[in-house]
Amino acid sequence: MPAYSTNMRLKFPILALTLEIITIILFAVFVVYDDGKGHHDAHHDTNTTEEVSPMELYPMFQDVHVMIFIGFGFLMTFLKKYGFSSVGINLLLAAFGLQWGLLMQGLWHMDHGKIKMNIFKMINADFSTATVLISFGAVLGKTSPVQLLIMTLLEITIFSINEHLVANILGANDVGASMIIHAFGAYFGLAVARVLYRPGLRNGHENDGSVYHSDLFAMIGTVFLWMFWPSFNSAIAEQGFTQLTAVINTYVSLAACVLSAYAISSLVEHKGKLDMVHIQNATLAGGVAVGTCADMQIEPFGAMVIGLVAGIISTLGFKHLSPLLASNLGIQDTCGVHNLHGMPGILGGLAGIVAVALGRAKEGSAAMQAAALASSLGFALIGGAITGLIMKLPFWGQPPDQNCFDDSLYWEVPIEEEENEGSLAAGENSKNKTEA
């Protein structure tokens, strides 16, 4: 294992401040307040001439914002010694990502050379950040804050190109972003994880696991994501009954997914017990999988079928596929994003192709839906591999194998925490001696 310098004293402040100063300069040049004439951008094209309140989408934005900062952050706190990084680095990446995302997406929709900032663009900026947080889950515990800022910069740039291609050039339907966010973010992260493969972690790591309270914290993220997912899938849908359709389809898909995830978890585990990893993640797969056709007329039972299948494949993925990816392909997927976002994202893309082919969408073609799925996967895998090669450069402060999954390498950890761990270890030793 090469010797890496993990001291962040100069490299992290310099990079973070440089990126923020560049972003501020770009905002000064390109970004202005919306003047009330630019609400119909990107995915939100409508032919209506009704006056839209500038704050009408704010409740949806709040829901998506909660998912980004609380949902994703706490979902990753399952690691027993990595809670600070899970929530803290999540905040860092999301804060930078939403600024960079607003710029990268806004460049495709400029009005007289300016990006007019409104609630709709803020929602889309949060969406771009979600791709990074999904990829973050694949490399959780094995990367430095500097590496992750580099990944955020590159991934959102690549994401914005693919999103423009899918939504504006191909004209594909993907209102809940099964393809352009979930599948893209998952396979981008998996490509990065493959390039950053660590042979020293082939047999696992003592900190790559959970304890009772860390799993409980992770369930907070699960519940927040589960509750607000209908807003995520419907936020940029055409307002009115189309948006209502997206909410209903997501609502019932999530509910069906929970039942199938619980059932399969009990089926595949010893003595029929439930596995908290499955419950934290697979119960959300229905929201991912129904995203592409959320605003289509697939009927509530159709959305429930999608959710049912998503819960099954996600749970089976955690049980059987993740170990195979790690042992045979060298893909060390810490959070199992392939099972929560990757496979359900592809399922969503396939469901969208079928729904459009059956005439369940207002417009679009099955061929363009297929092209959109292929584009998202292609950009993700190639972009992730290139990004991984850049992140692999030895001066980004990546942790050595023995310090992976440990907050203390990059955070000031409270002394009493270390003392408590020491006293618990001493108590255990004392108990063992007494029994002997």
Side-chain angles (χ1 to χ4, degrees):
M1 181 72 187
Y4 297 129
S5 172
T6 57
N7 191 323
M8 296 283 105
R9 186 71 179 272
L10 289 178
K11 61 185 72 173
F12 175 68
I14 290 173
L15 177 63
L17 291 175
T18 300
L19 289 175
E20 186 58 36
I21 290 169
I22 292 172
T23 303
I24 290 172
I25 293 171
L26 291 174
F27 264 67
V29 174
F30 293 109
V31 181
V32 296
Y33 299 122
D34 184 23
D35 57 7
K37 300 176 183 177
H39 285 284
H40 306 305
D41 334 67
H43 305 279
H44 203 63
D45 289 325
T46 65
N47 295 320
T48 181
T49 57
E50 291 181 25
E51 185 68 27
V52 180
S53 166
M55 292 296 288
E56 189 165 349
L57 285 175
Y58 189 72
M60 289 290 191
F61 165 72
Q62 282 181 307
D63 292 351
V64 173
H65 222 44
V66 167
M67 291 179 70
I68 296 298
F69 288 92
I70 297 180
F72 279 106
F74 276 91
L75 183 63
M76 292 185 279
T77 58
F78 68 95
L79 291 173
K80 55 189 172 186
K81 290 189 175 181
Y82 212 65
F84 284 13
S85 297
S86 299
V87 178
I89 301 300
N90 185 90
L91 173 60
L92 170 72
L93 301 184
F96 172 61
L98 66 87
Q99 298 173 73
W100 192 247
L102 195 140
L103 286 168
M104 292 297 101
Q105 291 175 298
L107 289 176
W108 299 105
H109 309 285
M110 298 181 79
D111 187 351
H112 297 96
K114 297 293 182 181
I115 300 170
K116 293 185 175 179
M117 190 169 174
N118 54 34
I119 301 296
F120 181 80
K121 283 192 170 69
M122 290 162 62
I123 292 173
N124 268 325
D126 273 14
F127 282 172
S128 69
T129 298
T131 61
V132 175
L133 302 182
I134 292 167
S135 301
F136 177 35
V139 296
L140 187 70
K142 300 169 293 188
T143 44
S144 71
V146 172
Q147 285 178 297
L148 292 168
L149 279 176
I150 297 297
M151 185 180 80
T152 302
L153 180 76
L154 297 175
E155 181 169 3
I156 287 180
T157 304
I158 297 167
F159 160 81
S160 66
I161 297 171
N162 178 63
E163 185 204 35
H164 179 71
L165 175 63
V166 168
N168 299 97
I169 307 300
L170 299 177
N173 296 290
D174 195 19
V175 70
S178 297
M179 299 182 289
I180 62 176
I181 290 179
H182 297 289
F184 178 91
Y187 289 101
F188 191 102
L190 292 174
V192 171
R194 179 62 189 89
V195 174
L196 299 182
Y197 173 68
R198 291 171 176 262
L201 300 181
R202 188 186 304 110
N203 298 319
H205 190 287
E206 61 179 344
N207 291 330
D208 185 11
S210 65
V211 291
Y212 192 86
H213 70 267
S214 67
D215 270 335
L216 199 58
F217 271 111
M219 272 302 291
I220 295 173
T222 299
V223 172
F224 269 97
L225 288 169
W226 198 91
M227 288 193 305
F228 290 123
W229 214 294
S231 295
F232 189 94
N233 281 357
S234 64
I236 60 174
E238 181 182 335
Q239 293 179 7
F241 283 104
T242 301
Q243 195 168 49
L244 175 62
T245 300
V247 170
I248 292 172
N249 284 338
T250 308
Y251 179 81
V252 295
S253 180
L254 284 165
C257 177
V258 169
L259 273 294
S260 64
Y262 271 76
I264 301 302
S265 179
S266 176
L267 182 67
V268 300
E269 287 302 321
H270 182 60
K271 294 184 178 180
K273 295 183 178 181
L274 298 170
D275 189 328
M276 201 56 159
V277 172
H278 304 158
I279 306 309
Q280 288 162 0
N281 295 277
T283 53
L284 301 170
V288 175
V290 81
T292 296
C293 47
D295 63 342
M296 301 180 192
Q297 297 297 313
I298 58 174
E299 301 301 333
F301 81 89
M304 295 168 79
V305 170
I306 292 173
L308 184 81
V309 174
I312 293 171
I313 65 171
S314 181
T315 307
L316 292 176
F318 276 103
K319 181 64 178 178
H320 299 295
L321 192 55
S322 289
L324 289 176
L325 290 178
S327 59
N328 296 339
L329 297 181
I331 300 174
Q332 298 161 331
D333 180 7
T334 306
C335 290
V337 300
H338 183 240
N339 310 307
L340 172 54
H341 301 279
M343 292 190 295
I346 290 178
L347 174 64
L350 296 175
I353 295 171
V354 173
V356 171
L358 294 176
R360 297 293 179 170
K362 288 184 177 180
E363 55 187 15
S365 74
M368 290 300 100
Q369 293 295 129
L373 179 59
S375 171
S376 298
L377 295 177
F379 271 99
L381 292 171
I382 296 172
I386 294 171
T387 301
L389 289 171
I390 294 171
M391 292 169 67
K392 200 171 185 178
L393 296 172
F395 45 76
W396 299 128
Q398 53 264 59
D401 288 349
Q402 65 269 26
N403 296 116
C404 286
F405 314 108
D406 192 342
D407 278 332
S408 62
L409 190 63
Y410 301 114
W411 294 83
E412 289 287 350
V413 178
I415 296 174
E416 59 266 23
E417 181 73 18
E418 297 174 351
E419 290 176 347
N420 287 339
E421 290 176 2
S423 63
L424 285 173
E428 188 65 30
N429 290 335
S430 175
K431 179 182 176 183
N432 292 339
K433 288 179 182 178
T434 302
E435 289 174 352

